[in-house]
Amino acid sequence: WNTGTGQCDVTITDNRKVSSLCALEDGRVASGSAKTVKIWNTGSGQCEQTLTGHSEEVLSLCALGDGRMASGSQDKTIKIWNTVTGQCDLTLTDHRKWVTSVCSVGDSLASGSH
C-alpha cells in the first residue's frame, strides 16, 4: 500500500494464509505461511526464494540487517536465515511453546512465546 495515496502499489499472491510480513533491507518483502518463509520482489510481485526448514507454521518474522532475518514458528524454534543464499545459518531451540514474536534489538534478538 502507498500510505500517502491509499492506493495498492502491488499485490503479492500466495495460496496459503500469510501469518507474518517483514520488510527486508534490500527492498524485498518476506512472508511467513505454513512451514515456509517466502521472499518476494516488490516490483514484480514474484516469489524469488522459498526458505524451508520449519516443521510447523511460521508465526513471526524480523529483519536483522546484513542480509539476515529471523523467523519464529509453532515448532518452538527460531531460525536465522541468510536472505541472499536462502540457507538457515542457526536454529534456536530453547522455547517451550510456540514462538509468536521476534524482534531485532541492536545486535541481539528478542523473542516472545505462548
Side-chain angles (χ1 to χ4, degrees):
W1 294 95
N2 181 311
T3 58
T5 66
Q7 299 297 310
C8 180
D9 289 336
V10 65
T11 299
I12 295 172
T13 304
D14 191 345
N15 293 330
R16 297 180 249 177
K17 173 183 80 172
V18 174
S19 55
S20 185
L21 292 171
C22 173
L24 301 176
E25 63 189 342
D26 61 7
R28 296 182 298 168
V29 169
S31 67
S33 61
K35 301 173 185 177
T36 63
V37 175
K38 291 186 178 185
I39 299 181
W40 303 86
N41 179 309
T42 54
S44 68
Q46 298 298 308
C47 180
E48 293 185 342
Q49 290 178 297
T50 300
L51 313 182
T52 60
H54 281 293
S55 61
E56 298 292 335
E57 184 172 350
V58 175
L59 300 175
S60 56
L61 299 172
C62 174
L64 301 174
D66 296 330
R68 298 179 310 137
M69 68 173 296
S71 60
S73 170
Q74 285 180 350
D75 67 10
K76 306 174 191 169
T77 69
I78 298 168
K79 292 192 177 289
I80 309 298
W81 302 93
N82 180 315
T83 61
V84 176
T85 66
Q87 298 298 308
C88 178
D89 291 339
L90 181 65
T91 300
L92 308 174
T93 60
D94 286 345
H95 277 281
R96 295 184 191 149
K97 301 210 180 222
W98 298 356
V99 180
T100 55
S101 58
V102 289
C103 176
S104 176
V105 183
D107 290 336
S108 298
L109 180 71
S111 59
S113 157
H114 270 227

